[in-house]
Amino acid sequence: MVIVVLEADAVGSDVSYEGVSKYGEARLYNSTPHNLIAERIKDADIVIANKCLMNEETLKGADKLKLIAEAATGYNNIDTEYCRKKGIAVSNISGYSTDSVAQHTFAMLLSLNNKLSYYSEFVNSKEYSNGSSFCNVSNVFHDLTGKTLGILGLGNIGKKVAEIAVAFGMRIIYYSVSGNKQDVPYECVDFDTFLSESDYISINAPLNDKTRGIINYSALKKMKKSCILINVARGAVVVEADIVRALNEGIIAAAGIDVYEKEPLLGDSPYLTIQDKDRLLLTPHVAWGSFEARKRCVEEGIMNIEAFLNGEMRNRIV
């Protein structure tokens, strides 16, 4: 049995896929450009993929392929209908990065809320050393206690974010794009109320037809001017140019962005044109990537392979 790992580097060089060799011949590639996908998987029985496109173009020559083990929760890189037609099973991984993403959400929120970039520069520039006061509170920040956190997408990650927010003494509201209310101790509100009442907004929703571009200029104008927006979900849930416009015009206070419509971030991205860099915190799609989460990602993927070989329907999409 041939098991091909197309993007081993996606989980970092400190986490190994060598464990898959227990189940067959392991062919590990650190990364795979699109034009080499078909060649590398043509003899594969199992493929572990992350961002590589798995569609008719790349799969049509892989006659032995039995399973695509997606090394992520999202699987929009896989043409599931084509796989179903060809009898190729598809599995994914869920829950492995919940703690990491929720933690990163609050790392961004706290950094922006407490103006850490400004105050760090104040000290490092020696302006603090050259001053006469023991402190500097010129850049105002606020307690989280008593403030309202709006969560867009109350799945596993959204619920973990809410749990952390409660520990800070925050009020939680959420907007359900599907319209389904959940059995949770938080208030489900309509979209306009969600936008207007939130002091902070955490986007944890998947990307689909209902969420694509849902945070646009019109929505941003309904937010509080003091609102801090965090997006660790999918880049296209927000309209990137509108986020920058809103920040430049003072419509919202700040934004923390970890995900982008095009990844890696394009050199001419609107985000890189921001006027006040202290109001926009950018990270390179790293929220999911604590060491523990990356290790779980590999372990869960291997367990999916073992389950498939044992005839079990573990984390199966197709």
Side-chain angles (χ1 to χ4, degrees), residues 232-298:
V232 294
R234 287 292 181 264
V237 173
V238 307
V239 179
E240 296 179 344
D242 290 357
I243 296 289
V244 174
R245 181 183 175 188
L247 290 170
N248 286 339
E249 294 178 359
I251 289 173
I252 62 171
I257 307 293
D258 182 60
V259 287
Y260 309 94
E261 190 166 358
K262 299 291 184 181
E263 296 177 342
L265 184 67
L266 298 178
D268 61 353
S269 167
Y271 287 134
L272 301 179
T273 68
I274 188 72
Q275 292 172 11
D276 183 354
K277 294 186 184 301
D278 285 346
R279 299 179 67 189
L280 179 62
L281 178 58
L282 303 175
T283 54
H285 200 145
V286 72
W288 70 279
S290 70
F291 173 78
E292 292 80 4
R294 291 182 286 113
K295 191 168 181 286
R296 281 192 295 270
C297 180
V298 171

Side-chain angles (χ1 to χ4, degrees), residues 53 84 102 140 150 203-204 226 254 300:
L53 292 179
R84 189 172 285 108
V140 177
I203 300 175
N204 303 108
S226 58
E300 287 287 323

Side-chain angles (χ1 to χ4, degrees), residues 45-259:
D45 295 282
I46 296 173
V47 169
I48 298 177
N50 183 281
K51 299 297 183 186
C52 284
L53 292 179
M54 300 280 99
N55 54 25
E56 182 173 3
E57 177 192 352
T58 56
L59 296 173
K60 62 184 177 183
D63 297 330
K64 295 170 55 184
L65 188 59
K66 303 174 182 65
L67 171 69
I68 299 172
E70 179 77 1
T73 302
Y75 50 91
N76 55 307
N77 59 311
I78 301 175
D79 185 338
T80 54
E81 286 306 310
Y82 180 80
C83 289
R84 189 172 285 108
K85 183 172 67 175
K86 291 296 183 178
I88 301 169
V90 178
S91 64
N92 76 333
I93 306 168
S94 61
Y96 71 97
S97 65
T98 298
D99 291 338
S100 182
V101 176
Q103 177 177 299
H104 196 80
T105 298
F106 267 87
M108 298 188 100
L109 189 155
L110 288 166
S111 179
L112 290 166
N113 182 73
N114 284 44
K115 313 295 177 63
L116 295 188
S117 175
Y118 169 84
Y119 284 117
S120 178
E121 176 58 24
F122 179 78
V123 175
N124 283 308
S125 69
K126 296 188 178 180
E127 191 173 351
Y128 180 46
S129 300
N130 296 329
S132 58
S133 176
F134 80 97
C135 73
N136 170 14
V137 291
S138 60
N139 202 342
V140 177
F141 58 96
H142 300 277
D143 290 345
L144 297 186
T145 302
K147 302 299 190 301
T148 296
L149 174 67
I151 299 177
L152 180 63
L154 200 66
N156 290 335
I157 293 173
K159 288 174 182 173
K160 186 68 177 183
V161 169
E163 180 183 326
I164 296 169
V166 168
F168 276 103
M170 303 181 78
R171 171 197 177 214
I172 311 298
I173 61 175
Y174 73 98
Y175 173 65
S176 173
V177 178
S178 66
N180 297 325
K181 293 184 179 181
Q182 299 195 40
D183 184 18
V184 291
Y186 316 124
E187 185 181 359
C188 182
V189 297
D190 62 73
F191 193 46
D192 282 353
T193 301
F194 174 84
L195 296 172
S196 64
E197 291 193 6
S198 296
D199 296 296
Y200 307 87
I201 289 177
S202 177
I203 300 175
N204 303 108
L207 179 63
N208 54 43
D209 290 341
K210 290 183 177 179
T211 61
R212 184 179 296 276
I214 191 171
I215 303 298
N216 52 29
Y217 190 68
S218 175
L220 289 157
K221 287 197 297 182
K222 296 175 182 177
M223 298 178 189
K224 295 181 180 181
K225 287 189 174 183
S226 58
C227 185
I228 294 175
L229 173 73
I230 307 293
N231 185 16
V232 294
R234 287 292 181 264
V237 173
V238 307
V239 179
E240 296 179 344
D242 290 357
I243 296 289
V244 174
R245 181 183 175 188
L247 290 170
N248 286 339
E249 294 178 359
I251 289 173
I252 62 171
I257 307 293
D258 182 60
V259 287

